[in-house]
Coordinates of all heavy atoms in Angstrom, one line a residue:
Q62 N -0.5 -0.1 6.3 CA -1.5 -0.3 5.2 C -1.8 -1.9 5.0 O -2.9 -2.1 4.7 CB -0.9 0.2 3.9 CG -1.8 0.3 2.7 CD -3.1 1.0 2.9 OE1 -3.0 2.0 3.6 NE2 -4.2 0.7 2.4
H63 N -0.8 -2.7 5.2 CA -1.1 -4.2 5.0 C -0.8 -5.0 6.3 O -0.4 -6.2 6.2 CB -0.2 -4.6 3.8 CG -0.7 -4.5 2.4 ND1 -0.1 -5.0 1.4 CD2 -1.8 -3.7 2.0 CE1 -0.7 -4.6 0.3 NE2 -1.7 -3.9 0.6
I64 N -0.9 -4.3 7.4 CA -0.4 -4.9 8.6 C -1.1 -6.4 8.8 O -2.3 -6.5 8.6 CB -0.6 -4.1 9.9 CG1 0.0 -4.7 11.1 CG2 -2.2 -3.8 10.1 CD1 0.1 -3.8 12.3
C65 N -0.2 -7.4 9.0 CA -0.8 -8.8 9.2 C -1.7 -9.3 8.1 O -2.5 -10.2 8.4 CB -1.4 -8.9 10.6 SG -0.2 -8.6 12.0
R66 N -1.4 -8.8 6.9 CA -2.4 -9.2 5.8 C -2.5 -10.7 5.6 O -3.6 -11.2 5.2 CB -1.8 -8.5 4.5 CG -2.8 -8.5 3.4 CD -2.2 -8.0 2.1 NE -3.1 -7.9 1.0 CZ -3.7 -6.8 0.6 NH1 -3.6 -5.7 1.3 NH2 -4.5 -6.8 -0.4
W67 N -1.4 -11.4 5.9 CA -1.5 -12.8 5.7 C -2.5 -13.6 6.5 O -2.9 -14.7 6.3 CB 0.0 -13.5 5.8 CG 0.4 -13.4 7.3 CD1 0.2 -14.4 8.2 CD2 1.1 -12.3 8.0 NE1 0.8 -14.0 9.5 CE2 1.3 -12.7 9.3 CE3 1.4 -11.1 7.5 CZ2 1.9 -11.9 10.2 CZ3 2.1 -10.2 8.5 CH2 2.2 -10.7 9.8
K68 N -2.9 -12.9 7.6 CA -3.9 -13.6 8.5 C -5.4 -13.6 7.9 O -6.2 -14.4 8.5 CB -3.9 -12.8 9.9 CG -2.6 -13.0 10.7 CD -2.7 -12.2 12.0 CE -1.5 -12.5 12.8 NZ -1.5 -11.7 14.1
V69 N -5.6 -12.8 6.8 CA -6.9 -12.9 6.2 C -6.7 -13.4 4.8 O -6.5 -12.7 3.8 CB -7.6 -11.5 6.2 CG1 -8.9 -11.6 5.6 CG2 -7.5 -10.9 7.6
A70 N -6.7 -14.7 4.7 CA -6.4 -15.4 3.4 C -7.5 -15.1 2.3 O -8.7 -15.2 2.6 CB -6.3 -16.9 3.6
R71 N -6.9 -14.9 1.1 CA -7.8 -14.6 -0.1 C -8.7 -15.8 -0.3 O -9.8 -15.7 -0.7 CB -6.9 -14.3 -1.2 CG -7.6 -14.3 -2.6 CD -8.7 -13.2 -2.7 NE -9.4 -13.2 -3.9 CZ -10.7 -13.6 -4.0 NH1 -11.2 -14.2 -2.9 NH2 -11.3 -13.7 -5.2
E72 N -8.1 -17.0 -0.1 CA -8.8 -18.3 -0.3 C -10.0 -18.5 0.6 O -10.8 -19.4 0.3 CB -7.8 -19.5 -0.2 CG -6.6 -19.5 -1.1 CD -5.6 -18.5 -0.9 OE1 -5.3 -18.1 0.4 OE2 -5.0 -17.9 -1.8
S73 N -10.1 -17.7 1.6 CA -11.2 -17.9 2.5 C -12.5 -17.2 2.0 O -13.5 -17.2 2.7 CB -10.8 -17.4 3.9 OG -10.5 -16.1 4.0
Y74 N -12.4 -16.6 0.8 CA -13.5 -15.8 0.2 C -13.7 -16.5 -1.2 O -12.7 -17.1 -1.8 CB -13.2 -14.4 0.1 CG -13.2 -13.7 1.4 CD1 -12.1 -13.7 2.2 CD2 -14.3 -13.1 1.8 CE1 -12.0 -13.1 3.4 CE2 -14.4 -12.4 3.2 CZ -13.2 -12.5 3.9 OH -13.2 -11.8 5.1
P75 N -14.9 -16.4 -1.7 CA -15.1 -17.0 -3.1 C -14.1 -16.4 -4.1 O -13.8 -15.2 -4.0 CB -16.6 -16.6 -3.5 CG -17.2 -16.3 -2.2 CD -16.2 -15.9 -1.2
M76 N -13.6 -17.2 -5.0 CA -12.6 -16.8 -5.9 C -13.2 -16.2 -7.2 O -13.0 -16.6 -8.3 CB -11.7 -18.1 -6.3 CG -10.9 -18.6 -5.1 SD -9.8 -17.4 -4.2 CE -8.4 -17.3 -5.4
D77 N -14.0 -15.3 -7.0 CA -14.6 -14.5 -8.1 C -14.6 -12.9 -7.7 O -14.0 -12.6 -6.6 CB -16.0 -14.8 -8.3 CG -17.0 -14.7 -7.0 OD1 -16.6 -14.1 -6.1 OD2 -18.1 -15.4 -7.0
R78 N -15.1 -12.1 -8.5 CA -15.0 -10.7 -8.4 C -15.6 -10.3 -7.0 O -15.1 -9.5 -6.2 CB -15.6 -10.0 -9.6 CG -15.6 -8.4 -9.5 CD -14.4 -7.8 -10.1 NE -14.3 -6.4 -10.0 CZ -13.3 -5.8 -9.6 NH1 -12.2 -6.4 -9.2 NH2 -13.3 -4.5 -9.4
V79 N -16.8 -10.8 -6.8 CA -17.5 -10.5 -5.6 C -16.7 -10.9 -4.3 O -16.6 -10.1 -3.3 CB -19.0 -11.0 -5.5 CG1 -19.7 -10.8 -4.2 CG2 -19.8 -10.5 -6.7
G80 N -16.2 -12.1 -4.4 CA -15.4 -12.5 -3.3 C -14.2 -11.7 -3.0 O -13.8 -11.3 -1.9
Y81 N -13.5 -11.3 -4.1 CA -12.3 -10.5 -4.1 C -12.6 -9.1 -3.4 O -11.9 -8.6 -2.6 CB -11.8 -10.2 -5.5 CG -10.6 -9.2 -5.6 CD1 -9.4 -9.6 -5.1 CD2 -10.9 -7.9 -5.9 CE1 -8.3 -8.6 -5.2 CE2 -9.9 -7.0 -6.0 CZ -8.6 -7.5 -5.6 OH -7.5 -6.5 -5.6
L82 N -13.8 -8.4 -3.9 CA -14.2 -7.2 -3.2 C -14.5 -7.3 -1.8 O -14.2 -6.4 -1.0 CB -15.3 -6.6 -4.0 CG -14.9 -6.2 -5.4 CD1 -16.2 -5.7 -6.2 CD2 -13.9 -5.1 -5.6
K83 N -15.2 -8.4 -1.4 CA -15.5 -8.6 0.0 C -14.2 -8.8 0.8 O -14.1 -8.3 1.9 CB -16.5 -9.8 0.1 CG -17.0 -10.0 1.5 CD -18.2 -10.8 1.6 CE -18.7 -11.1 3.0 NZ -18.6 -10.0 3.8
W84 N -13.3 -9.6 0.3 CA -12.0 -9.8 0.9 C -11.3 -8.5 1.2 O -10.7 -8.2 2.3 CB -11.1 -10.7 0.0 CG -9.7 -10.9 0.5 CD1 -9.3 -11.5 1.6 CD2 -8.5 -10.5 -0.2 NE1 -7.9 -11.5 1.8 CE2 -7.4 -10.9 0.6 CE3 -8.3 -10.0 -1.4 CZ2 -6.2 -10.7 0.2 CZ3 -7.0 -9.7 -1.9 CH2 -5.9 -10.1 -1.0
R85 N -11.3 -7.6 0.1 CA -10.6 -6.3 0.2 C -11.2 -5.4 1.3 O -10.5 -4.7 2.0 CB -10.6 -5.6 -1.1 CG -9.7 -6.2 -2.2 CD -8.2 -6.1 -2.0 NE -7.8 -4.7 -1.8 CZ -7.3 -4.0 -2.8 NH1 -7.1 -4.5 -4.0 NH2 -6.9 -2.7 -2.6
E86 N -12.6 -5.5 1.3 CA -13.3 -4.7 2.4 C -13.0 -5.1 3.7 O -12.7 -4.4 4.6 CB -14.8 -4.8 2.0 CG -15.6 -3.6 2.3 CD -14.9 -2.2 1.9 OE1 -14.6 -2.0 0.7 OE2 -14.8 -1.4 2.8
E87 N -13.0 -6.5 3.9 CA -12.6 -7.1 5.2 C -11.3 -6.8 5.6 O -10.9 -6.5 6.8 CB -12.9 -8.6 5.2 CG -14.3 -9.0 5.1 CD -15.2 -8.4 6.3 OE1 -14.8 -8.4 7.5 OE2 -16.3 -7.9 6.0
L88 N -10.4 -6.8 4.7 CA -8.9 -6.5 5.0 C -8.8 -5.0 5.5 O -8.0 -4.8 6.5 CB -8.0 -6.5 3.7 CG -7.5 -8.0 3.3 CD1 -6.8 -7.9 2.0 CD2 -6.5 -8.4 4.4
K89 N -9.4 -4.1 4.9 CA -9.3 -2.7 5.3 C -9.7 -2.6 6.8 O -9.1 -2.0 7.6 CB -10.3 -1.8 4.5 CG -9.8 -1.4 3.2 CD -10.7 -0.4 2.5 CE -10.6 -0.5 1.0 NZ -11.6 0.3 0.3
K90 N -10.9 -3.2 7.2 CA -11.4 -3.2 8.6 C -10.3 -3.8 9.5 O -10.1 -3.4 10.6 CB -12.7 -3.9 8.7 CG -13.8 -3.1 7.9 CD -15.1 -3.8 8.1 CE -16.2 -3.2 7.1 NZ -17.2 -4.1 6.8
F91 N -9.8 -5.0 9.0 CA -8.9 -5.8 9.8 C -7.6 -4.9 10.0 O -7.0 -4.8 11.2 CB -8.5 -7.1 9.1 CG -7.4 -7.8 9.7 CD1 -7.5 -8.5 11.0 CD2 -6.1 -7.9 9.1 CE1 -6.4 -9.2 11.5 CE2 -5.1 -8.6 9.7 CZ -5.2 -9.2 10.9
H92 N -7.0 -4.3 9.0 CA -5.8 -3.5 9.2 C -6.1 -2.3 10.0 O -5.2 -1.9 10.9 CB -5.4 -2.9 7.8 CG -5.0 -4.0 6.8 ND1 -4.3 -5.1 7.1 CD2 -5.2 -4.1 5.5 CE1 -4.1 -5.9 6.0 NE2 -4.6 -5.3 5.0
S93 N -7.2 -1.7 9.9 CA -7.7 -0.5 10.7 C -7.7 -0.9 12.2 O -7.2 -0.3 13.0 CB -9.0 0.0 10.1 OG -9.5 0.9 11.0
K94 N -8.4 -2.0 12.5 CA -8.6 -2.5 13.9 C -7.2 -2.9 14.5 O -6.9 -2.5 15.6 CB -9.6 -3.6 13.9 CG -9.9 -4.1 15.2 CD -10.9 -5.3 15.1 CE -11.4 -5.8 16.5 NZ -10.4 -6.6 17.1
T95 N -6.5 -3.6 13.8 CA -5.1 -4.1 14.3 C -4.3 -2.8 14.6 O -3.6 -2.8 15.7 CB -4.4 -4.9 13.3 OG1 -5.3 -6.1 12.8 CG2 -3.1 -5.5 13.8
T96 N -4.3 -1.9 13.7 CA -3.5 -0.7 14.0 C -4.0 0.1 15.1 O -3.2 0.7 15.9 CB -3.5 0.3 12.6 OG1 -3.0 -0.5 11.6 CG2 -2.5 1.4 12.7
A97 N -5.3 0.3 15.2 CA -6.0 1.0 16.3 C -5.6 0.5 17.6 O -5.3 1.3 18.6 CB -7.6 1.1 16.1
E98 N -5.5 -0.8 17.8 CA -5.1 -1.4 19.0 C -3.7 -1.0 19.4 O -3.3 -0.7 20.5 CB -5.3 -2.9 19.0 CG -6.7 -3.4 19.0 CD -6.9 -4.8 18.6 OE1 -5.9 -5.6 18.2 OE2 -8.1 -5.2 18.4
I99 N -2.8 -1.0 18.4 CA -1.4 -0.7 18.7 C -1.3 0.7 19.0 O -0.5 1.1 19.9 CB -0.5 -1.0 17.3 CG1 -0.3 -2.5 17.2 CG2 0.8 -0.2 17.4 CD1 0.3 -2.9 15.8
L100 N -2.0 1.7 18.3 CA -2.0 3.1 18.6 C -2.5 3.4 20.0 O -1.9 4.2 20.7 CB -2.7 3.8 17.6 CG -2.2 3.8 16.2 CD1 -3.1 4.6 15.2 CD2 -0.8 4.2 16.1
A101 N -3.5 2.7 20.5 CA -4.0 2.9 21.8 C -2.9 2.5 22.8 O -2.8 3.3 23.8 CB -5.3 2.1 22.0
K102 N -2.4 1.4 22.6 CA -1.2 0.9 23.5 C -0.1 1.9 23.5 O 0.6 2.0 24.5 CB -0.8 -0.5 22.9 CG -0.1 -1.3 24.1 CD 0.1 -2.7 23.6 CE 1.1 -2.9 22.5 NZ 1.7 -4.2 22.3
A103 N 0.1 2.5 22.4 CA 1.3 3.4 22.3 C 1.0 4.9 22.9 O 1.9 5.6 23.1 CB 1.7 3.7 20.8
G104 N -0.3 5.1 23.3 CA -0.6 6.3 24.0 C -1.3 7.4 23.1 O -1.5 8.5 23.6
Y105 N -1.8 7.0 21.9 CA -2.4 8.0 21.1 C -3.9 8.3 21.6 O -4.5 7.3 22.1 CB -2.4 7.6 19.6 CG -1.1 7.9 18.9 CD1 -0.3 6.8 18.6 CD2 -0.7 9.2 18.6 CE1 1.0 7.0 18.0 CE2 0.5 9.3 17.9 CZ 1.3 8.3 17.6 OH 2.6 8.5 16.9
D106 N -4.4 9.5 21.4 CA -5.8 9.7 21.7 C -6.7 9.2 20.6 O -6.3 8.8 19.6 CB -6.0 11.2 22.0 CG -5.8 12.1 20.8 OD1 -5.9 11.7 19.7 OD2 -5.5 13.3 21.0
Q107 N -8.0 9.2 21.0 CA -9.0 8.6 20.0 C -9.1 9.3 18.7 O -9.3 8.7 17.7 CB -10.4 8.5 20.8 CG -11.4 7.6 20.1 CD -10.9 6.1 19.9 OE1 -10.4 5.6 20.9 NE2 -11.0 5.6 18.7
A108 N -9.0 10.6 18.8 CA -9.1 11.4 17.6 C -8.0 11.1 16.5 O -8.2 10.9 15.4 CB -9.0 13.0 17.8
F109 N -6.8 10.9 17.1 CA -5.6 10.4 16.2 C -5.9 9.0 15.6 O -5.7 8.8 14.5 CB -4.4 10.5 17.1 CG -3.1 10.2 16.3 CD1 -2.3 11.2 15.8 CD2 -2.7 8.8 16.0 CE1 -1.2 10.9 15.1 CE2 -1.6 8.7 15.2 CZ -0.8 9.7 14.7
I110 N -6.3 8.1 16.5 CA -6.6 6.7 16.2 C -7.7 6.7 15.0 O -7.6 6.0 14.1 CB -7.0 5.9 17.3 CG1 -5.9 5.8 18.4 CG2 -7.4 4.5 16.9 CD1 -6.2 5.2 19.6
D111 N -8.7 7.5 15.3 CA -9.8 7.5 14.3 C -9.4 8.1 12.9 O -9.8 7.6 11.9 CB -11.0 8.5 14.8 CG -11.7 7.8 15.9 OD1 -11.6 6.6 16.2 OD2 -12.5 8.6 16.7
R112 N -8.5 9.1 12.9 CA -8.0 9.6 11.7 C -7.2 8.5 10.9 O -7.3 8.4 9.7 CB -7.2 10.9 11.9 CG -6.5 11.6 10.8 CD -7.7 12.0 9.8 NE -7.1 12.7 8.6 CZ -7.8 12.8 7.5 NH1 -9.1 12.5 7.4 NH2 -7.2 13.4 6.5
V113 N -6.3 7.9 11.7 CA -5.5 6.8 11.0 C -6.4 5.7 10.4 O -6.1 5.2 9.4 CB -4.4 6.2 12.0 CG1 -3.7 5.0 11.4 CG2 -3.4 7.2 12.4
S114 N -7.4 5.3 11.2 CA -8.5 4.3 10.7 C -9.1 4.9 9.4 O -9.3 4.0 8.5 CB -9.5 4.0 11.7 OG -8.8 3.4 12.8
F115 N -9.5 6.1 9.5 CA -10.1 6.7 8.2 C -9.3 6.6 7.0 O -9.6 6.3 5.9 CB -10.3 8.2 8.6 CG -10.9 9.0 7.5 CD1 -12.3 9.3 7.5 CD2 -10.1 9.6 6.6 CE1 -12.9 10.1 6.4 CE2 -10.7 10.4 5.6 CZ -12.0 10.6 5.5
L116 N -8.0 6.9 7.2 CA -6.9 6.8 6.1 C -6.8 5.3 5.7 O -6.7 5.1 4.5 CB -5.6 7.4 6.6 CG -5.7 9.0 6.7 CD1 -4.4 9.4 7.5 CD2 -5.9 9.7 5.5
I117 N -6.6 4.5 6.6 CA -6.3 3.0 6.2 C -7.5 2.5 5.5 O -7.4 1.7 4.5 CB -6.0 2.2 7.5 CG1 -4.6 2.5 8.0 CG2 -6.0 0.7 7.1 CD1 -4.2 1.8 9.2
E118 N -8.8 2.9 5.8 CA -9.9 2.4 5.2 C -10.1 3.3 3.9 O -11.2 3.0 3.2 CB -11.1 2.5 6.1 CG -11.0 1.5 7.2 CD -12.1 1.5 8.3 OE1 -13.2 1.8 7.9 OE2 -11.9 1.3 9.4
K119 N -9.3 4.1 3.5 CA -9.3 4.9 2.3 C -10.6 5.6 2.1 O -11.3 5.5 1.0 CB -8.9 4.0 1.1 CG -7.5 3.6 1.2 CD -6.9 3.1 -0.1 CE -7.2 1.7 -0.4 NZ -6.5 1.2 -1.5
K120 N -11.1 6.2 3.1 CA -12.4 7.0 3.0 C -12.3 8.2 2.2 O -11.2 8.9 2.2 CB -13.0 7.2 4.4 CG -13.4 5.8 5.0 CD -14.1 6.0 6.4 CE -14.6 4.6 6.9 NZ -15.1 4.7 8.2
L121 N -13.3 8.6 1.6 CA -13.4 9.9 0.8 C -12.2 10.1 -0.2 O -11.6 11.1 -0.3 CB -13.4 11.1 1.8 CG -14.7 11.2 2.5 CD1 -14.6 12.5 3.5 CD2 -15.9 11.3 1.7
L122 N -11.9 9.0 -0.8 CA -10.9 9.0 -2.0 C -11.2 10.1 -2.9 O -12.4 10.3 -3.2 CB -10.7 7.7 -2.6 CG -9.5 7.5 -3.6 CD1 -8.2 7.9 -3.0 CD2 -9.6 6.2 -4.2
K123 N -10.2 10.8 -3.4 CA -10.5 12.0 -4.4 C -10.9 13.3 -3.6 O -10.8 14.4 -4.2 CB -11.3 11.7 -5.5 CG -10.8 10.5 -6.4 CD -9.7 11.0 -7.4 CE -9.3 10.0 -8.4 NZ -8.0 10.2 -9.1
K124 N -11.5 13.1 -2.4 CA -12.1 14.2 -1.8 C -11.2 14.7 -0.6 O -11.0 15.9 -0.2 CB -13.4 14.0 -1.3 CG -14.5 13.8 -2.4 CD -15.9 13.7 -1.8 CE -16.9 13.5 -2.9 NZ -17.3 12.2 -3.3
D125 N -10.6 13.6 0.2 CA -9.8 14.0 1.3 C -8.3 13.9 0.9 O -7.9 12.9 0.2 CB -10.0 12.9 2.4 CG -9.1 13.2 3.6 OD1 -8.0 12.8 3.7 OD2 -9.7 13.8 4.6
A126 N -7.6 15.0 1.0 CA -6.2 15.2 0.5 C -5.3 14.1 1.0 O -4.4 13.6 0.3 CB -5.7 16.5 0.8
E127 N -5.4 13.7 2.3 CA -4.5 12.7 2.8 C -4.9 11.3 2.3 O -4.0 10.5 2.1 CB -4.4 12.7 4.4 CG -3.7 14.0 4.8 CD -3.4 13.9 6.3 OE1 -4.3 13.5 7.1 OE2 -2.2 14.2 6.7
T128 N -6.2 11.0 2.2 CA -6.5 9.7 1.6 C -6.0 9.6 0.3 O -5.5 8.6 -0.2 CB -8.1 9.5 1.6 OG1 -8.6 9.7 2.9 CG2 -8.5 8.2 1.0

Side-chain angles (χ1 to χ4, degrees):
Q62 188 61 33
H63 279 185
I64 190 167
C65 298
R66 191 181 184 103
W67 68 93
K68 292 183 180 179
V69 183
R71 170 66 185 99
E72 296 74 36
S73 57
Y74 293 83
M76 295 305 282
D77 56 15
R78 180 91 183 130
V79 174
Y81 173 76
L82 294 173
K83 186 156 178 39
W84 173 65
R85 291 292 301 265
E86 214 40 54
E87 290 303 314
L88 274 174
K89 283 184 201 172
K90 290 177 192 158
F91 171 73
H92 297 321
S93 170
K94 183 175 180 290
T95 306
T96 307
E98 288 165 2
I99 287 172
L100 295 180
K102 199 170 74 166
Y105 282 106
D106 65 25
Q107 196 57 49
F109 185 97
I110 294 168
D111 290 346
R112 181 63 182 161
V113 173
S114 293
F115 176 97
L116 293 168
I117 288 175
E118 291 179 34
K119 295 198 277 190
K120 292 186 175 170
L121 295 181
L122 185 59
K123 298 279 184 195
K124 294 190 177 90
D125 183 277
E127 287 192 317
T128 302

